Amino acid sequence: MLGLGSLARKVFGTPNDRKIKAARPLVAKVNALEAEFSALTDEGIVAKTRELQKRVQEGGETLDAILPEAFANCREAAKRALGLRAFDVQLMGGIFLHQGNIAEMRTGEGKTLVATFPAYLNALTGKGVHVVTVNDYLAKRDSEWMGKVYGQLGLTTGVVYPYQPDAEKRAAYRADITYATNNELGFDYLRDNMKSTIDEMMQRGHHFAIVDEVDSILVDEARTPLIISGPAQDRSELYTQIDKLIPQLQPEHYKLDEKARNVTYTDEGNDAVEVLLRAAGILPEGQHMFDPESTTIVHHLNQALRAHTMFFRDQHYIVRDGEVILIDEFTGRMMKGRRLSDGLHQAIEAKEGVKIQAENVTLASVTFQNYFRLYEKLAGMTGTAATEAEEFMQIYGLGVVEVPTNRPVARKDDHDQVYRTAREKFDGIIVCIKEAHEKGQPILVGTTSIEKSELLSELLKKEGIPHNVLNARQHEQEAHIVAEAGRFGAVTIATNMAGRGTDIQLGGNVEMKVLAAITADPHLHPDEVRARIEAEHAEEKARVIAAGGLFVLGTERHESRRIDNQLRGRSGRQGDPGRSAFFLSLDDDLMRIFGSERLDKILSSLGMKEGEAIVHPWVNKSLEKAQAKVEGRNFDIRKQLLKFDDVMNDQRKAIFGQRLEIMQAEDVSEIAADMRWQVIDDLIDQFLPPKSYPDAWNTEGLRAALVEKLNVDLPVQEWAAEEGVDQAALSERIIEATDKFMADKAESFGKATMEGIEKQVLLQAIDGKWREHLLRLEHLRSVIGFRAYAQRDPLNEYKTEAFQLFDSMLNSLREQVTEQLGRIRPLTREEQDQMMAQMVAAQQQAAAATAPISAEHAPAEPAIDPAPVQAPASPALQADARLAGFDETDPATWGNPGRNDPCPCGSGEKFKHCHGRLA
């Protein structure tokens, strides 16, 4: 009898069935246009692209309206460029991708070609499309291969890869369709938001992305943040100051847990430390140890206490040649070059009185989860996504649609074979491999680790069975070996993820065989070689099919059903025969989690002999339930991490958005003025409290603060003494005076120069403050979990304190920008002459020192102080440099060139890399 759920599905169909049904009429429309588009010339196909672009960009037609024509045009272009005619199910996959879904398509169904349809359709908007792959080899391969289709359609294709020249990378992002890896896209996004001009940025927005192997990128790698780091500001003094306080503490001031290797301050300890910090001048008056602003101080205190109570000289480390070198606790050997993270190594260096080496600090970071949520529309392709459908929908708003296969799946999936021990399991695997190999059936053996694949390789060598081992190290070589895994009698051992994205064809890959033959002997005629190899391939494929097709053998169940399904899906492409089986033992990680003791008793009571395996559908179901539990736990971890990262992500978007606005604006004087007015309002509130009488005003303090923060000395006391003057009137007078002061300054610099100065000061201040803020958030994140002991929700606490820190950062940013702009002034002629004379002397000294090597040799550009004393040069000053009397051999006649302008000496280098580096 059918259950209610089964009955309902039988009557109404599943949600997936309904999506497939809805897509069929669109596929029919594309098919109806096939004859018309087949009649077009090559020029006619390009003309059709231009017509569709015009209708979308100028006529306002929606992409859904032109979908049938665009798909028909793309299918025809692929047919001519590659000789491949897309199947109906491939068109269907393309439709689902365009709609912003994940298309789950089995291995061998041609996902690479499927992506061309939605990529072409969405590229017609002119906003660019990103196709994301898991490694650089696939990005280059797919861009070259599918670039022929886009070229036939009249569109451009680009590929992005690491260490690419800037001009080439910028051109790749300007192309209609750009292929890239997830890592490179994320890093370029971060790098773009560290640039100082719009022209230097690479990416041009996030319109539409198609992510290949979407489960690998958006689930498996979701917890991996992309981080750009650099040397931190020198905090040696803070480490040293705090280190002096720790010996003053008593044993009752902290609690040491040697078993957990942890130490924490007691309540008495917190009070004692706060008194010591205030006495040492580390903690400002009015600020408490547990205020959000004190996060960094608390972090250093914790690390200093750990350095003194848990790390001992000649036990955990030695000091040699003024350097703290760690000792491996297991071997007793020195670990030169290894450093403890998070400031702990620096705390030990301070304790030992040696030179404190710089920490690395995060300059920018983003997770894949938050990077890919930047796109207006996102889509993905994979062979396995259904098991993670809930996560894709909750986090990315992506639906999963299972696309039917072009031909029915003929693969035979065996039940799992469970052995008592790992040794018995591997014996069973070797017997199985020998049986298949003797009849010529190709075998792909999947392992969960490199170590296991090497162990299996040793066992096969003893049996004299020739085989290939893949460890997912060299992507290109890996793809070639996996592509040949379908040859007659081939035995390939691979980690489960190795060669992902590469199709295994029975009898081997024709294209790779042709390429290998022509490379070996360039005199051969390509057509003759192809005809010979195709004939040989057809014969070999027939032998492989007769032997049973590709046999996929899994040596262990993975934590995720998805990866098991991915491995299994390597066999049975396009209706080919095949077989899959998993060999397990009670020693496997998952079986231990599942509870092997109970299963071991059951197997013993069944009288199972050594070397025998149990094969039963119940075991399969139990294992799937165990895997589902592990998947659920991992999803919860990812979800929780995302909630924490979302707090930073909102702040990141606000800061990056502000940076972009500043870079795009021609004139940022209004932003600078708003910041100045806010600083004045804050000073008025501080020294002339609201609703207070003039007797309580601190006008002397206000005057001193205005000199310090805005570089203006105003008669505040006299103004305050006038009758009827209140806080608002004083504020107006101060704003009027400072506006005039800044207007006069802008006039002395020149309008264009002042705009350039304001923009650079704003960007440098934002970058510096954001770096400090990221460090504070890292420190806060590392200690916030302890709030749970006080029955407080760590996430809510983190949100509240992160917001307070962000607000504090913005106030500090306003003050820094206002102070820097108030102090900036043009150099006098005497000062310019003096500076140029110093530059020339230093240049001559450097030239003499480097003469044997090269007169043009320049070291790496030094770090630029984010608080410039003088105005950075601008186009206006650059123009003045070529006045009468200019002499390229005499720096005194050069004026004030811009840092990024060509050096006036004629070397062809930028000024900052040539004479400017000596300024």
Side-chain angles (χ1 to χ4, degrees), residues 258 261 310-318 326-329 332:
E258 291 187 73
R261 285 187 67 76
M310 294 167 60
F311 289 83
F312 303 106
R313 188 168 180 164
D314 297 331
Q315 181 184 342
H316 299 105
Y317 61 88
I318 60 166
L326 298 177
I327 295 173
D328 188 321
E329 61 181 302

mmCIF file with all atom_site columns, all heavy atoms in Angstrom, residues 258 261 310-318 326-329 332:
data_model
loop_
_atom_site.group_PDB
_atom_site.id
_atom_site.type_symbol
_atom_site.label_atom_id
_atom_site.label_alt_id
_atom_site.label_comp_id
_atom_site.label_asym_id
_atom_site.label_entity_id
_atom_site.label_seq_id
_atom_site.pdbx_PDB_ins_code
_atom_site.Cartn_x
_atom_site.Cartn_y
_atom_site.Cartn_z
_atom_site.occupancy
_atom_site.B_iso_or_equiv
_atom_site.pdbx_formal_charge
_atom_site.auth_seq_id
_atom_site.auth_comp_id
_atom_site.auth_asym_id
_atom_site.auth_atom_id
_atom_site.pdbx_PDB_model_num
ATOM 1   N N   . GLU A 1 258 ? 46.566 23.362 33.884 1.00 0.00 ? 258 GLU A N   1
ATOM 2   C CA  . GLU A 1 258 ? 47.647 22.754 33.090 1.00 0.00 ? 258 GLU A CA  1
ATOM 3   C C   . GLU A 1 258 ? 47.139 21.675 32.153 1.00 0.00 ? 258 GLU A C   1
ATOM 4   O O   . GLU A 1 258 ? 47.671 21.486 31.065 1.00 0.00 ? 258 GLU A O   1
ATOM 5   C CB  . GLU A 1 258 ? 48.708 22.174 34.031 1.00 0.00 ? 258 GLU A CB  1
ATOM 6   C CG  . GLU A 1 258 ? 49.485 23.255 34.765 1.00 0.00 ? 258 GLU A CG  1
ATOM 7   C CD  . GLU A 1 258 ? 50.638 22.684 35.571 1.00 0.00 ? 258 GLU A CD  1
ATOM 8   O OE1 . GLU A 1 258 ? 51.630 22.284 34.941 1.00 0.00 ? 258 GLU A OE1 1
ATOM 9   O OE2 . GLU A 1 258 ? 50.525 22.633 36.800 1.00 0.00 ? 258 GLU A OE2 1
ATOM 10  N N   . ARG A 1 261 ? 45.811 23.345 29.302 1.00 0.00 ? 261 ARG A N   1
ATOM 11  C CA  . ARG A 1 261 ? 46.804 24.325 28.845 1.00 0.00 ? 261 ARG A CA  1
ATOM 12  C C   . ARG A 1 261 ? 46.156 25.695 28.664 1.00 0.00 ? 261 ARG A C   1
ATOM 13  O O   . ARG A 1 261 ? 46.181 26.288 27.590 1.00 0.00 ? 261 ARG A O   1
ATOM 14  C CB  . ARG A 1 261 ? 47.499 23.871 27.555 1.00 0.00 ? 261 ARG A CB  1
ATOM 15  C CG  . ARG A 1 261 ? 48.518 22.776 27.804 1.00 0.00 ? 261 ARG A CG  1
ATOM 16  C CD  . ARG A 1 261 ? 49.325 22.451 26.563 1.00 0.00 ? 261 ARG A CD  1
ATOM 17  N NE  . ARG A 1 261 ? 50.201 23.530 26.142 1.00 0.00 ? 261 ARG A NE  1
ATOM 18  C CZ  . ARG A 1 261 ? 51.354 23.854 26.714 1.00 0.00 ? 261 ARG A CZ  1
ATOM 19  N NH1 . ARG A 1 261 ? 51.757 23.211 27.769 1.00 0.00 ? 261 ARG A NH1 1
ATOM 20  N NH2 . ARG A 1 261 ? 52.089 24.836 26.241 1.00 0.00 ? 261 ARG A NH2 1
ATOM 21  N N   . MET A 1 310 ? 52.919 29.515 31.173 1.00 0.00 ? 310 MET A N   1
ATOM 22  C CA  . MET A 1 310 ? 52.771 28.246 30.458 1.00 0.00 ? 310 MET A CA  1
ATOM 23  C C   . MET A 1 310 ? 53.930 27.918 29.524 1.00 0.00 ? 310 MET A C   1
ATOM 24  O O   . MET A 1 310 ? 54.026 26.801 29.016 1.00 0.00 ? 310 MET A O   1
ATOM 25  C CB  . MET A 1 310 ? 51.457 28.252 29.643 1.00 0.00 ? 310 MET A CB  1
ATOM 26  C CG  . MET A 1 310 ? 50.215 28.280 30.537 1.00 0.00 ? 310 MET A CG  1
ATOM 27  S SD  . MET A 1 310 ? 48.733 28.654 29.599 1.00 0.00 ? 310 MET A SD  1
ATOM 28  C CE  . MET A 1 310 ? 48.719 27.324 28.442 1.00 0.00 ? 310 MET A CE  1
ATOM 29  N N   . PHE A 1 311 ? 54.800 28.893 29.255 1.00 0.00 ? 311 PHE A N   1
ATOM 30  C CA  . PHE A 1 311 ? 55.912 28.659 28.337 1.00 0.00 ? 311 PHE A CA  1
ATOM 31  C C   . PHE A 1 311 ? 57.223 28.938 29.064 1.00 0.00 ? 311 PHE A C   1
ATOM 32  O O   . PHE A 1 311 ? 57.444 30.052 29.562 1.00 0.00 ? 311 PHE A O   1
ATOM 33  C CB  . PHE A 1 311 ? 55.782 29.551 27.089 1.00 0.00 ? 311 PHE A CB  1
ATOM 34  C CG  . PHE A 1 311 ? 54.672 29.127 26.181 1.00 0.00 ? 311 PHE A CG  1
ATOM 35  C CD1 . PHE A 1 311 ? 53.362 29.541 26.431 1.00 0.00 ? 311 PHE A CD1 1
ATOM 36  C CD2 . PHE A 1 311 ? 54.899 28.285 25.107 1.00 0.00 ? 311 PHE A CD2 1
ATOM 37  C CE1 . PHE A 1 311 ? 52.322 29.133 25.619 1.00 0.00 ? 311 PHE A CE1 1
ATOM 38  C CE2 . PHE A 1 311 ? 53.869 27.870 24.287 1.00 0.00 ? 311 PHE A CE2 1
ATOM 39  C CZ  . PHE A 1 311 ? 52.565 28.293 24.551 1.00 0.00 ? 311 PHE A CZ  1
ATOM 40  N N   . PHE A 1 312 ? 58.078 27.896 29.122 1.00 0.00 ? 312 PHE A N   1
ATOM 41  C CA  . PHE A 1 312 ? 59.304 28.023 29.909 1.00 0.00 ? 312 PHE A CA  1
ATOM 42  C C   . PHE A 1 312 ? 60.540 27.814 29.031 1.00 0.00 ? 312 PHE A C   1
ATOM 43  O O   . PHE A 1 312 ? 60.567 26.954 28.154 1.00 0.00 ? 312 PHE A O   1
ATOM 44  C CB  . PHE A 1 312 ? 59.290 27.021 31.068 1.00 0.00 ? 312 PHE A CB  1
ATOM 45  C CG  . PHE A 1 312 ? 58.091 27.198 31.962 1.00 0.00 ? 312 PHE A CG  1
ATOM 46  C CD1 . PHE A 1 312 ? 57.041 26.295 31.936 1.00 0.00 ? 312 PHE A CD1 1
ATOM 47  C CD2 . PHE A 1 312 ? 57.999 28.312 32.790 1.00 0.00 ? 312 PHE A CD2 1
ATOM 48  C CE1 . PHE A 1 312 ? 55.927 26.473 32.733 1.00 0.00 ? 312 PHE A CE1 1
ATOM 49  C CE2 . PHE A 1 312 ? 56.887 28.499 33.608 1.00 0.00 ? 312 PHE A CE2 1
ATOM 50  C CZ  . PHE A 1 312 ? 55.843 27.581 33.586 1.00 0.00 ? 312 PHE A CZ  1
ATOM 51  N N   . ARG A 1 313 ? 61.549 28.633 29.316 1.00 0.00 ? 313 ARG A N   1
ATOM 52  C CA  . ARG A 1 313 ? 62.820 28.579 28.582 1.00 0.00 ? 313 ARG A CA  1
ATOM 53  C C   . ARG A 1 313 ? 63.495 27.219 28.770 1.00 0.00 ? 313 ARG A C   1
ATOM 54  O O   . ARG A 1 313 ? 63.436 26.633 29.852 1.00 0.00 ? 313 ARG A O   1
ATOM 55  C CB  . ARG A 1 313 ? 63.729 29.696 29.092 1.00 0.00 ? 313 ARG A CB  1
ATOM 56  C CG  . ARG A 1 313 ? 65.002 29.866 28.293 1.00 0.00 ? 313 ARG A CG  1
ATOM 57  C CD  . ARG A 1 313 ? 65.655 31.160 28.681 1.00 0.00 ? 313 ARG A CD  1
ATOM 58  N NE  . ARG A 1 313 ? 66.893 31.390 27.954 1.00 0.00 ? 313 ARG A NE  1
ATOM 59  C CZ  . ARG A 1 313 ? 67.498 32.561 27.871 1.00 0.00 ? 313 ARG A CZ  1
ATOM 60  N NH1 . ARG A 1 313 ? 66.973 33.610 28.454 1.00 0.00 ? 313 ARG A NH1 1
ATOM 61  N NH2 . ARG A 1 313 ? 68.614 32.700 27.210 1.00 0.00 ? 313 ARG A NH2 1
ATOM 62  N N   . ASP A 1 314 ? 64.065 26.710 27.670 1.00 0.00 ? 314 ASP A N   1
ATOM 63  C CA  . ASP A 1 314 ? 64.763 25.409 27.624 1.00 0.00 ? 314 ASP A CA  1
ATOM 64  C C   . ASP A 1 314 ? 63.822 24.211 27.786 1.00 0.00 ? 314 ASP A C   1
ATOM 65  O O   . ASP A 1 314 ? 64.278 23.071 27.841 1.00 0.00 ? 314 ASP A O   1
ATOM 66  C CB  . ASP A 1 314 ? 65.884 25.332 28.674 1.00 0.00 ? 314 ASP A CB  1
ATOM 67  C CG  . ASP A 1 314 ? 66.960 26.370 28.414 1.00 0.00 ? 314 ASP A CG  1
ATOM 68  O OD1 . ASP A 1 314 ? 67.145 26.729 27.222 1.00 0.00 ? 314 ASP A OD1 1
ATOM 69  O OD2 . ASP A 1 314 ? 67.584 26.852 29.368 1.00 0.00 ? 314 ASP A OD2 1
ATOM 70  N N   . GLN A 1 315 ? 62.528 24.488 27.880 1.00 0.00 ? 315 GLN A N   1
ATOM 71  C CA  . GLN A 1 315 ? 61.543 23.397 27.866 1.00 0.00 ? 315 GLN A CA  1
ATOM 72  C C   . GLN A 1 315 ? 60.650 23.530 26.633 1.00 0.00 ? 315 GLN A C   1
ATOM 73  O O   . GLN A 1 315 ? 60.546 22.612 25.828 1.00 0.00 ? 315 GLN A O   1
ATOM 74  C CB  . GLN A 1 315 ? 60.688 23.427 29.140 1.00 0.00 ? 315 GLN A CB  1
ATOM 75  C CG  . GLN A 1 315 ? 59.649 22.294 29.186 1.00 0.00 ? 315 GLN A CG  1
ATOM 76  C CD  . GLN A 1 315 ? 58.752 22.395 30.413 1.00 0.00 ? 315 GLN A CD  1
ATOM 77  O OE1 . GLN A 1 315 ? 59.079 23.076 31.386 1.00 0.00 ? 315 GLN A OE1 1
ATOM 78  N NE2 . GLN A 1 315 ? 57.614 21.742 30.367 1.00 0.00 ? 315 GLN A NE2 1
ATOM 79  N N   . HIS A 1 316 ? 60.048 24.710 26.494 1.00 0.00 ? 316 HIS A N   1
ATOM 80  C CA  . HIS A 1 316 ? 59.188 24.950 25.327 1.00 0.00 ? 316 HIS A CA  1
ATOM 81  C C   . HIS A 1 316 ? 59.916 25.720 24.231 1.00 0.00 ? 316 HIS A C   1
ATOM 82  O O   . HIS A 1 316 ? 59.488 25.719 23.085 1.00 0.00 ? 316 HIS A O   1
ATOM 83  C CB  . HIS A 1 316 ? 57.936 25.725 25.750 1.00 0.00 ? 316 HIS A CB  1
ATOM 84  C CG  . HIS A 1 316 ? 57.091 25.005 26.753 1.00 0.00 ? 316 HIS A CG  1
ATOM 85  N ND1 . HIS A 1 316 ? 57.043 25.351 28.073 1.00 0.00 ? 316 HIS A ND1 1
ATOM 86  C CD2 . HIS A 1 316 ? 56.281 23.916 26.619 1.00 0.00 ? 316 HIS A CD2 1
ATOM 87  C CE1 . HIS A 1 316 ? 56.237 24.538 28.722 1.00 0.00 ? 316 HIS A CE1 1
ATOM 88  N NE2 . HIS A 1 316 ? 55.761 23.647 27.859 1.00 0.00 ? 316 HIS A NE2 1
ATOM 89  N N   . TYR A 1 317 ? 60.979 26.431 24.620 1.00 0.00 ? 317 TYR A N   1
ATOM 90  C CA  . TYR A 1 317 ? 61.736 27.218 23.627 1.00 0.00 ? 317 TYR A CA  1
ATOM 91  C C   . TYR A 1 317 ? 63.141 27.456 24.166 1.00 0.00 ? 317 TYR A C   1
ATOM 92  O O   . TYR A 1 317 ? 63.412 27.262 25.363 1.00 0.00 ? 317 TYR A O   1
ATOM 93  C CB  . TYR A 1 317 ? 61.041 28.562 23.358 1.00 0.00 ? 317 TYR A CB  1
ATOM 94  C CG  . TYR A 1 317 ? 60.929 29.449 24.570 1.00 0.00 ? 317 TYR A CG  1
ATOM 95  C CD1 . TYR A 1 317 ? 61.956 30.336 24.899 1.00 0.00 ? 317 TYR A CD1 1
ATOM 96  C CD2 . TYR A 1 317 ? 59.830 29.384 25.414 1.00 0.00 ? 317 TYR A CD2 1
ATOM 97  C CE1 . TYR A 1 317 ? 61.890 31.131 26.038 1.00 0.00 ? 317 TYR A CE1 1
ATOM 98  C CE2 . TYR A 1 317 ? 59.739 30.174 26.545 1.00 0.00 ? 317 TYR A CE2 1
ATOM 99  C CZ  . TYR A 1 317 ? 60.775 31.047 26.855 1.00 0.00 ? 317 TYR A CZ  1
ATOM 100 O OH  . TYR A 1 317 ? 60.712 31.833 27.974 1.00 0.00 ? 317 TYR A OH  1
ATOM 101 N N   . ILE A 1 318 ? 64.037 27.847 23.250 1.00 0.00 ? 318 ILE A N   1
ATOM 102 C CA  . ILE A 1 318 ? 65.376 28.287 23.688 1.00 0.00 ? 318 ILE A CA  1
ATOM 103 C C   . ILE A 1 318 ? 65.608 29.679 23.103 1.00 0.00 ? 318 ILE A C   1
ATOM 104 O O   . ILE A 1 318 ? 64.914 30.088 22.168 1.00 0.00 ? 318 ILE A O   1
ATOM 105 C CB  . ILE A 1 318 ? 66.494 27.325 23.219 1.00 0.00 ? 318 ILE A CB  1
ATOM 106 C CG1 . ILE A 1 318 ? 66.522 27.232 21.680 1.00 0.00 ? 318 ILE A CG1 1
ATOM 107 C CG2 . ILE A 1 318 ? 66.373 25.972 23.852 1.00 0.00 ? 318 ILE A CG2 1
ATOM 108 C CD1 . ILE A 1 318 ? 67.789 26.591 21.138 1.00 0.00 ? 318 ILE A CD1 1
ATOM 109 N N   . LEU A 1 326 ? 61.323 27.832 18.970 1.00 0.00 ? 326 LEU A N   1
ATOM 110 C CA  . LEU A 1 326 ? 60.454 26.842 19.606 1.00 0.00 ? 326 LEU A CA  1
ATOM 111 C C   . LEU A 1 326 ? 61.093 25.459 19.587 1.00 0.00 ? 326 LEU A C   1
ATOM 112 O O   . LEU A 1 326 ? 61.879 25.141 18.687 1.00 0.00 ? 326 LEU A O   1
ATOM 113 C CB  . LEU A 1 326 ? 59.104 26.778 18.880 1.00 0.00 ? 326 LEU A CB  1
ATOM 114 C CG  . LEU A 1 326 ? 58.262 28.061 18.888 1.00 0.00 ? 326 LEU A CG  1
ATOM 115 C CD1 . LEU A 1 326 ? 56.999 27.859 18.062 1.00 0.00 ? 326 LEU A CD1 1
ATOM 116 C CD2 . LEU A 1 326 ? 57.895 28.465 20.300 1.00 0.00 ? 326 LEU A CD2 1
ATOM 117 N N   . ILE A 1 327 ? 60.731 24.620 20.580 1.00 0.00 ? 327 ILE A N   1
ATOM 118 C CA  . ILE A 1 327 ? 61.208 23.234 20.650 1.00 0.00 ? 327 ILE A CA  1
ATOM 119 C C   . ILE A 1 327 ? 60.011 22.311 20.478 1.00 0.00 ? 327 ILE A C   1
ATOM 120 O O   . ILE A 1 327 ? 58.967 22.502 21.115 1.00 0.00 ? 327 ILE A O   1
ATOM 121 C CB  . ILE A 1 327 ? 61.896 22.958 22.007 1.00 0.00 ? 327 ILE A CB  1
ATOM 122 C CG1 . ILE A 1 327 ? 63.163 23.815 22.132 1.00 0.00 ? 327 ILE A CG1 1
ATOM 123 C CG2 . ILE A 1 327 ? 62.224 21.489 22.168 1.00 0.00 ? 327 ILE A CG2 1
ATOM 124 C CD1 . ILE A 1 327 ? 63.829 23.752 23.487 1.00 0.00 ? 327 ILE A CD1 1
ATOM 125 N N   . ASP A 1 328 ? 60.161 21.316 19.608 1.00 0.00 ? 328 ASP A N   1
ATOM 126 C CA  . ASP A 1 328 ? 59.097 20.328 19.394 1.00 0.00 ? 328 ASP A CA  1
ATOM 127 C C   . ASP A 1 328 ? 58.968 19.462 20.649 1.00 0.00 ? 328 ASP A C   1
ATOM 128 O O   . ASP A 1 328 ? 59.927 18.806 21.051 1.00 0.00 ? 328 ASP A O   1
ATOM 129 C CB  . ASP A 1 328 ? 59.446 19.461 18.174 1.00 0.00 ? 328 ASP A CB  1
ATOM 130 C CG  . ASP A 1 328 ? 58.287 18.550 17.771 1.00 0.00 ? 328 ASP A CG  1
ATOM 131 O OD1 . ASP A 1 328 ? 57.621 18.025 18.686 1.00 0.00 ? 328 ASP A OD1 1
ATOM 132 O OD2 . ASP A 1 328 ? 58.072 18.366 16.563 1.00 0.00 ? 328 ASP A OD2 1
ATOM 133 N N   . GLU A 1 329 ? 57.784 19.468 21.278 1.00 0.00 ? 329 GLU A N   1
ATOM 134 C CA  . GLU A 1 329 ? 57.627 18.744 22.550 1.00 0.00 ? 329 GLU A CA  1
ATOM 135 C C   . GLU A 1 329 ? 57.729 17.232 22.374 1.00 0.00 ? 329 GLU A C   1
ATOM 136 O O   . GLU A 1 329 ? 57.975 16.511 23.336 1.00 0.00 ? 329 GLU A O   1
ATOM 137 C CB  . GLU A 1 329 ? 56.303 19.126 23.225 1.00 0.00 ? 329 GLU A CB  1
ATOM 138 C CG  . GLU A 1 329 ? 55.073 18.804 22.413 1.00 0.00 ? 329 GLU A CG  1
ATOM 139 C CD  . GLU A 1 329 ? 53.804 19.231 23.142 1.00 0.00 ? 329 GLU A CD  1
ATOM 140 O OE1 . GLU A 1 329 ? 53.587 18.761 24.270 1.00 0.00 ? 329 GLU A OE1 1
ATOM 141 O OE2 . GLU A 1 329 ? 53.026 20.004 22.557 1.00 0.00 ? 329 GLU A OE2 1
ATOM 142 N N   . GLY A 1 332 ? 61.898 16.964 20.720 1.00 0.00 ? 332 GLY A N   1
ATOM 143 C CA  . GLY A 1 332 ? 62.943 17.739 21.384 1.00 0.00 ? 332 GLY A CA  1
ATOM 144 C C   . GLY A 1 332 ? 63.807 18.520 20.418 1.00 0.00 ? 332 GLY A C   1
ATOM 145 O O   . GLY A 1 332 ? 64.811 19.122 20.808 1.00 0.00 ? 332 GLY A O   1
#
